Amino acid sequence: MIRILIFLAAVFALGLGFAWLADRPGEMVVTFNGYQYQVSLMVAAVAIVAVVAAVMIVWWLIKSLWNSPYTISRYFRVRRRDRGYQALSTGMIAAGAGDGALARKKSKEAAKLIRSDQEPLIQLLEAQASLLEGDHEGAREKFEAMLDDPEMRLLGLRGLYLEAERLGDRNAARHYAGRAASVAPQLAWAAESTLEDLTGRGDWDGALKLVEAQKSTRQIERDAANRRRAVLLTAKAQALTDSDPNAAKAAALEANKLAPDFAPAAVAAANLLFKQNDVRKGSKILEAAWKAEPHPEIAELYTHARPGDAVVDRLNRAKKLQELKRNNAESSMTVARAALDAQDFSTARREAEAAIRMDRREGAYLLLADIEEAETGDQGKIRQLLSKAVRAPRDPAWVADGVVSERWAPVSPVSGKLDAFAWRAPMERLGQLIDSHEEASEADVPVLAAPAKPTKEAEVIDHPAVARSSEAPTEPKPAVGDDQVTPVTSAAFAAIPPDAEPVEPAEELARLPDDPGVDPDDEAEKSPRRFRLF
């Protein structure tokens, strides 16, 4: 476009020049070799322009002829390159579609038309064709060859990483991922694998540097980066609690600042502050975390912040937590536990029952059983509460990849993933799928036959024999062992002779077979034990 404008401007300038000369007539005299040539000024200008144009055309023709060999070779070279790129494109599409034979064919064709040092994608196509053909050893050799080329180094590391993952060699996979992450921390696969390796080895400082690099390259969002830093700093604080309390406190306080609602960070920071007699600051941290999300570990540490406090003081601190988060099952459970320790059974029972109404779960029933045992010792009610606890949903716990842990951990013991543990209820028990209220039919319920005292006048009635003497259809008699009970039918009672003497009833069973009852010695010596399942 610019050239066209320049050409039009030149033509316009020439036109203006000729118009200007036409308005001003004149003559030009040239003396050459004894001859005198006289022409008008316009003719002289046209002659000069024509000579310049002729010279330019001749120069272009000479230059074209001189460069014609290069031009012809360039034409064929470009044509060859276009064919090579067409073959490379077709081969990449075939590799993506899983056509190994076509990918191999096109890779050879592209290698003939284009040099591999000029186009690195040819190496990638060859490696992909080897993988599709099952030649993993050849593919690894090609990926290793890519490491020498700075442009292909990351691609080679990626291929070697995937091959190591396929073979199950996690050490080699993490080695390649670490090399890639050191060069390009923005690579998600390299950063995640390296992060798992660093956290698995307990290198919290290295993991923090990697997360900071991810944040600077905007690989992860700011909130996600802060969450990861909080988890890593909490793990670092737990690791340094005994060896370096000051560094542990600094890490825990930073973690709590990044994630105030993260219970493990708040617990770690408050615990370290309590050890340094800074009860006020530690209590504020726990109160803020409790407002965000009530957690039993927060309540346990908050109520026992001062070891020398009396049970009534701990009850008051528990009530303070309840004021911060009302109408919450965890708040009621906290007050109920503290009231039980203080022997305030009415408050403990009221709060435990309120917790059951808000969130029916196992721990609430167990706590109510503890209260019942400490206050009344009614074993019947205690067994009833324990039965309800078995059928109730389980209490929340730290769960990661199907593993239930009593304590929080920064990584999953199964997958090694960072921040995998979540505070939630584990999977429901299989027994809860059974309807406990389902009643069996009367024909399936066996009747316990009472043993009778032998007398001379009494006639022993064999129930199956009487049943067979009646007109009712007979059924095959099952084998009856010593521990089996024969069911009594209505036909058997109808066939009893009128002159038969009544049989004295059997002695009343002291307890059901599946209920061992309570040993009188154990009942006399009651201990304030707490019920816990599993």
Side-chain angles (χ1 to χ4, degrees):
M1 183 67 184
I2 296 177
R3 291 183 178 181
I4 296 175
L5 293 176
I6 294 174
F7 175 76
L8 293 176
V11 172
F12 182 73
L14 289 174
L16 287 178
F18 285 118
W20 183 79
L21 291 175
D23 293 338
R24 292 168 177 79
E27 293 181 354
M28 185 176 67
V29 178
V30 178
T31 303
F32 179 73
N33 199 18
Y35 293 96
Q36 187 177 12
Y37 301 94
Q38 184 177 0
V39 293
S40 63
L41 188 59
M42 179 62 69
V43 173
V46 172
I48 293 172
V49 172
V51 169
V52 172
V55 171
M56 293 178 62
I57 293 173
V58 170
W59 176 254
W60 176 78
L61 291 174
I62 294 173
K63 185 179 179 180
S64 298
L65 292 174
W66 181 266
N67 294 331
S68 59
Y70 172 78
T71 304
I72 295 173
S73 62
R74 181 184 178 184
Y75 168 77
F76 286 107
R77 186 169 62 250
V78 170
R79 186 168 177 266
R80 180 187 181 90
R81 186 186 62 182
D82 292 342
R83 289 172 54 198
Y85 277 110
Q86 182 63 37
L88 180 61
S89 176
T90 305
M92 295 297 293
I93 294 173
D99 191 348
L102 182 58
R104 172 62 66 186
K105 177 182 177 181
K106 291 300 179 180
S107 67
K108 293 180 179 180
E109 183 179 348
K112 292 179 181 179
L113 298 173
I114 308 174
R115 292 192 304 176
S116 59
D117 58 344
Q118 294 179 348
E119 183 49 65
L121 287 178
I122 296 177
Q123 301 180 28
L124 175 60
L125 180 57
E126 291 177 352
Q128 292 294 328
S130 298
L131 290 175
L132 291 174
E133 293 172 351
D135 185 10
H136 294 280
E137 186 65 28
R140 283 195 297 273
E141 292 178 357
K142 292 180 176 61
F143 286 131
E144 290 175 357
M146 295 179 188
L147 301 181
D148 299 331
D149 186 359
E151 188 177 2
M152 299 291 292
R153 184 172 294 125
L154 293 177
L155 180 58
L157 290 173
R158 170 69 171 173
L160 293 173
Y161 168 79
L162 294 177
E163 283 298 297
E165 286 285 338
R166 183 185 63 82
L167 296 175
D169 191 351
R170 296 191 62 84
N171 292 329
R174 288 175 175 176
H175 167 72
Y176 294 126
R179 291 183 58 183
S182 62
V183 177
Q186 71 276 6
L187 298 177
W189 63 271
E192 293 299 326
S193 180
T194 306
L195 189 62
E196 291 180 5
D197 182 30
L198 294 174
T199 54
R201 293 189 284 109
D203 187 1
W204 309 116
D205 291 331
L208 287 169
K209 291 180 181 178
L210 181 58
V211 172
E212 190 64 27
Q214 288 181 305
K215 182 180 178 181
S216 61
T217 57
R218 296 183 180 180
Q219 179 185 344
I220 55 178
E221 297 295 334
R222 180 179 179 182
D223 295 339
N226 291 339
R227 173 71 181 191
R228 287 190 175 185
R229 284 186 56 83
V231 172
L232 293 172
L233 289 169
T234 304
K236 180 180 178 180
Q238 292 180 350
L240 298 177
T241 299
D242 298 329
S243 60
D244 192 352
N246 292 327
K249 184 183 74 171
L253 290 176
E254 185 179 355
N256 179 252
K257 184 178 180 181
L258 292 172
D261 57 342
F262 187 42
V267 170
N271 187 31
L272 291 167
L273 290 171
F274 291 159
K275 289 182 179 180
Q276 297 180 1
N277 297 324
D278 194 351
V279 180
R280 182 178 179 182
K281 186 175 181 180
S283 299
K284 288 184 177 180
I285 290 175
L286 293 178
E287 289 173 0
W290 182 267
K291 288 181 181 179
E293 186 64 31
H295 196 279
E297 294 181 8
I298 297 176
E300 180 70 17
L301 184 60
Y302 186 82
T303 54
H304 294 81
R306 291 188 289 264
D309 284 352
V311 290
V312 178
D313 296 332
R314 293 200 292 267
L315 176 58
N316 292 332
R317 291 178 67 84
K319 290 181 178 179
K320 185 176 180 180
L321 282 181
Q322 189 180 31
E323 292 177 357
L324 296 175
K325 197 74 173 180
R326 294 185 177 275
N327 298 325
N328 184 270
E330 200 61 51
S331 299
S332 299
M333 293 277 289
T334 301
V335 175
R337 293 190 190 98
L340 176 60
D341 294 336
Q343 302 295 312
D344 188 355
F345 299 117
S346 60
T347 302
R349 186 182 298 275
R350 182 179 67 254
E351 296 297 336
E353 291 175 350
I356 291 176
R357 288 193 297 271
M358 287 183 284
D359 186 7
R360 190 180 71 89
R361 63 188 189 189
E362 175 187 283
Y365 285 109
L366 293 177
L367 178 58
L368 198 57
D370 290 336
I371 298 170
E372 192 68 41
E373 184 188 31
E375 183 179 11
T376 65
D378 189 343
Q379 297 300 318
K381 290 185 179 180
I382 293 173
R383 287 194 295 272
Q384 182 182 11
L385 292 172
L386 293 178
S387 176
K388 291 181 179 180
V390 172
R391 292 174 174 81
R394 297 181 65 179
D395 291 334
W398 292 112
V399 182
D401 297 327
V403 176
V404 181
S405 175
E406 295 181 358
R407 297 294 179 184
W408 174 84
V411 296
S412 170
V414 178
S415 61
K417 183 181 178 182
L418 180 67
D419 195 19
F421 277 95
W423 182 255
R424 60 180 178 83
M427 296 180 62
E428 297 292 338
R429 302 187 186 92
L430 183 62
Q432 295 192 38
L433 301 178
I434 303 175
D435 188 3
S436 59
H437 301 288
E438 182 179 357
E439 297 181 356
S441 59
E442 294 182 0
D444 298 335
V445 178
V447 180
L448 297 177
K453 296 182 178 180
T455 56
K456 294 182 180 180
E457 294 81 10
E459 181 180 357
V460 180
I461 301 174
D462 188 5
H463 295 225
V466 176
R468 286 194 302 269
S469 63
S470 62
E471 296 181 358
T474 61
E475 295 181 356
K477 176 182 177 181
V480 179
D482 296 338
D483 57 347
Q484 292 180 340
V485 180
T486 304
V488 180
T489 60
S490 58
F493 283 104
I496 298 178
D499 55 349
E501 295 184 2
V503 180
E504 295 182 4
E507 297 180 358
E508 183 180 0
L509 293 176
R511 59 184 66 88
L512 293 176
D514 59 347
D515 183 10
V518 181
D519 193 348
D521 296 336
D522 296 339
E523 187 175 6
E525 301 177 359
K526 295 179 181 178
S527 60
R529 62 182 183 273
R530 301 291 176 86
F531 292 101
R532 294 293 181 269
L533 295 182
F534 309 106

